[in-house]
Amino acid sequence: QVQVVESGGGLVQPGGSLRLSCVVSGSLHVINDITWYRQAPGKQRELVAIITRGGSANYADSVQGRFTLSRDNAKNTVYLQMNSLKPEDTAIYYCNARDYDYTRRVGSDYRGQGTQVTVSS
């Protein structure tokens, strides 16, 4: 059973930094794209950033230039470095992992429980 666990959230002042981690375990196949989403109270879920297995990353306009993704495939871990945090970045951050079976050509998505990020003075 694939498990996805996020960590690293917390309370930080505006302008501060946090690094979130997403660890994927239990996969018998290949972990391809890993996507970070966030959801603030009363708002729709927002795609924050996505990174491919090869390390190519794309970011939402709202975080471009402030957030950086990196990936360690050997550890099935993705890191989201968040700098210059703003109050509007406050949300629960979720990680979604695409587990891909190349034999059957089938992909399955797994999401973690999320980690709370609060940006406030």
Side-chain angles (χ1 to χ4, degrees):
Q1 180 71 16
V2 176
Q3 290 190 323
V4 178
V5 179
E6 305 95 336
S7 62
L11 173 65
V12 64
Q13 292 187 343
S17 298
L18 283 174
R19 189 177 81 155
L20 306 185
S21 297
C22 171
V23 179
V24 184
S25 62
S27 172
L28 300 178
H29 309 117
V30 176
I31 301 299
N32 282 347
D33 296 351
I34 292 183
T35 307
W36 281 95
Y37 296 90
R38 66 186 181 186
Q39 188 162 20
K43 294 187 177 181
Q44 289 190 332
R45 189 179 72 168
E46 175 188 15
L47 189 151
V48 176
I50 181 170
I51 186 167
T52 68
R53 183 168 181 80
S56 296
N58 285 288
Y59 304 90
D61 289 343
S62 58
V63 307
Q64 181 76 45
R66 299 188 298 121
F67 290 10
T68 304
L69 277 170
S70 60
R71 180 168 183 160
D72 185 339
N73 287 331
K75 297 180 180 180
N76 273 342
T77 300
V78 165
Y79 304 98
L80 180 65
Q81 178 66 43
M82 306 187 298
N83 298 328
S84 302
L85 283 162
K86 305 174 180 179
E88 51 263 43
D89 293 319
T90 296
I92 298 176
Y93 284 69
Y94 299 93
C95 176
N96 183 93
R98 171 63 61 92
D99 179 74
Y100 197 79
D101 180 347
Y102 279 89
T103 300
R104 296 191 301 144
R105 299 185 181 181
V106 173
S108 301
D109 289 322
Y110 297 89
R111 193 181 82 168
Q113 294 297 308
T115 185
Q116 175 71 48
V117 172
T118 302
V119 185
S120 175
S121 55

